[in-house]
Amino acid sequence: MMKPLCLLLSTLTACERVKDAAKATVHKTGEVVGSSATVLADGVATGAARAAARGELSAALRGRGLQLGKISTGPAAVPTPSAPTDPGLSARPTTNRLTLYVIFNQVFADTITVRLFTSENLEYGRRRVFLRGHRDEARPVDVVFDPRTDFELGTKVVVE
């Protein structure tokens, strides 16, 4: 009678140790996976930000003293007057504002054209904007596209 009881207690104790070891292993695996997921998410976010938009300024505008800095995208703060008035469009979240950081190395006052191209070099957005700046001035300039324009990763921005 004593032998089966000892065997039962030994089995239960061994099972408890195995259970604790399994918990510790699962916990450690979860930490590693969580850390890897964070590193992956950071890498994806960095790559997406890097690929979000790349700019190209025409030689004519460079010759007139313009220079481009950082280009970023975001939702338009207010609707544009030329935007379609379709009520269904306002319900869809969109990223249709392009912010160009423009550096004026010379006095500039003229209309520029900003065009958007996919990674396959297909145009999908175009806006004309009057731009005015003084020598040694630099500032962000917002260009708001049609609400149906949603910036893609790898967008090429051509300013001419």
Side-chain angles (χ1 to χ4, degrees):
M1 173 88 177
M2 197 61 151
K3 214 173 196 182
L5 185 60
C6 285
L7 184 60
L8 178 64
L9 287 174
S10 298
T11 304
L12 291 174
T13 305
C15 287
E16 192 63 33
R17 275 191 232 133
V18 169
K19 185 172 101 180
D20 288 343
K23 277 185 187 176
T25 301
V26 167
H27 181 76
K28 187 65 178 171
T29 302
E31 285 179 8
V32 171
V33 168
S35 174
S36 297
T38 300
V39 169
L40 175 65
D42 286 347
V44 168
T46 301
R50 200 176 297 130
R54 59 190 195 285
E56 186 179 294
L57 186 64
S58 72
L61 291 178
R62 281 194 309 272
R64 294 181 59 194
L66 287 187
Q67 189 177 341
L68 285 180
K70 182 180 176 182
I71 298 173
S72 57
T73 62
V78 293
T80 59
S82 64
T85 56
D86 180 354
L89 293 176
S90 60
R92 183 171 93 63
T94 182
T95 304
N96 64 323
R97 179 180 42 88
L98 182 74
T99 301
L100 306 170
Y101 187 78
V102 180
I103 302 159
F104 299 90
N105 296 313
Q106 297 174 19
V107 174
F108 187 89
D110 204 352
T111 300
I112 63 169
T113 301
V114 181
R115 298 182 342 163
L116 306 175
F117 292 89
T118 66
S119 55
E120 291 83 25
N121 212 33
L122 297 172
E123 183 176 338
Y124 72 96
R126 183 186 299 203
R127 290 292 288 179
R128 293 174 52 86
V129 178
F130 184 76
L131 189 60
R132 180 188 307 265
H134 300 285
R135 181 186 171 118
D136 296 327
E137 181 183 3
R139 62 185 162 80
V141 175
D142 286 340
V143 181
V144 180
F145 290 85
D146 183 283
R148 293 169 288 193
T149 303
D150 205 6
F151 292 100
E152 301 175 4
L153 290 179
T155 293
K156 179 172 74 171
V157 178
V158 177
V159 182
E160 34 191 36

